[in-house]
């Protein structure tokens, strides 16, 4: 739940590790439902920092999805957040999530809420793509196509796979950058 100790935030965020997944789209409804039902929101500044590398379930949010009913559920959860006056920061980690973030922002603003989309520099997105490709393959000689988005200027497989020895350092560096970006937004609200 929530804490009054703002100084504990960097440590708590630093412990968060992205894991699981491997399938798209993702369960954005579940995340916002937890925020609406499992957090004891108090008076004062309320915010959600939402990081995603894949879009939300629901035909309005993702072009192809086997859970079309999720669109209405996500709209409902977003409306509940807006009524609670929760400011949402949406962090686009990979381009697959952009359409969902844009649609959520549009809806949230129509509900009277504040929704800011945050971008990471192209270099950090490329680093994330390399990490993602390394996780997908145990074989360095894999002949899979590069997973990077066209706007990343990354067309060579070795750009995606990167240096396996440096993977852990890059992951730690990436987590620090995410934490710092989130903390910058928190500090701007105080």
């Amino acid at each position: 739940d929530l804490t009054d100790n703002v100084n504990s935030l960097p440590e708590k965020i630093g412990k968060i590790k992205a894991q699981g997944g491997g399938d798209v789209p993702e369960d954005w409804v579940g995340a916002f439902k937890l925020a609406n039902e499992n957090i004891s929101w108090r008076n004062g500044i309320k915010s959600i920092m939402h990081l995603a590398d894949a879009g939300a379930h629901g035909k309005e949010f993702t072009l192809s999805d086997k859970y079309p009913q999720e669109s209405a559920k996500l709209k409902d959860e977003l409306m509940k957040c807006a009524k609670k006056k929760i400011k949402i920061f949406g962090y686009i980690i990979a381009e697959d999530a952009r359409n969902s973030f844009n649609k959520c922002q549009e809806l949230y603003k129509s509900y009277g809420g504040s929704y800011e989309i945050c971008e990471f520099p192209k270099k950090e997105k490329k680093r994330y793509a390399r990490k993602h490709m390394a996780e997908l393959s145990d074989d360095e000689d894999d002949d899979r196509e590069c997973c990077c988005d066209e706007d990343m200027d990354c067309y060579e497989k070795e750009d995606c796979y990167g240096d396996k020895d440096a993977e852990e350092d890059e992951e730690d560096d990436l987590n620090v950058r995410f934490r710092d970006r989130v903390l910058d937004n928190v500090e701007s609200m105080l």
Side-chain angles (χ1 to χ4, degrees), residues 4 15 17 37 78 83 113 116 118 131:
D4 290 330
K15 291 179 181 177
K17 299 280 185 190
E37 296 178 6
L78 287 170
K83 285 180 181 178
E116 183 179 328
C118 305
K131 179 184 175 303

Side-chain angles (χ1 to χ4, degrees), residues 23-36 48 50-58 61-62 65 70-71 73-75 77-78 81 88-105 107 115 117:
D23 62 331
V24 292
E26 299 293 351
D27 183 18
W28 289 26
V29 171
F32 285 109
K33 189 174 180 120
L34 282 172
N36 282 314
I48 292 174
H50 179 199
L51 288 78
D53 65 350
H57 283 296
F61 300 93
T62 304
D65 189 19
E70 295 297 291
S71 286
K73 292 178 185 177
L74 183 52
K75 288 178 182 179
E77 294 302 328
L78 287 170
C81 287
I88 298 176
F89 293 93
Y91 292 85
I92 299 174
I93 297 175
E95 287 302 309
D96 288 349
R98 183 174 299 280
N99 185 58
S100 293
F101 276 117
N102 288 340
K103 184 65 178 174
C104 284
Q105 182 184 48
L107 285 168
Y115 193 114
I117 295 177

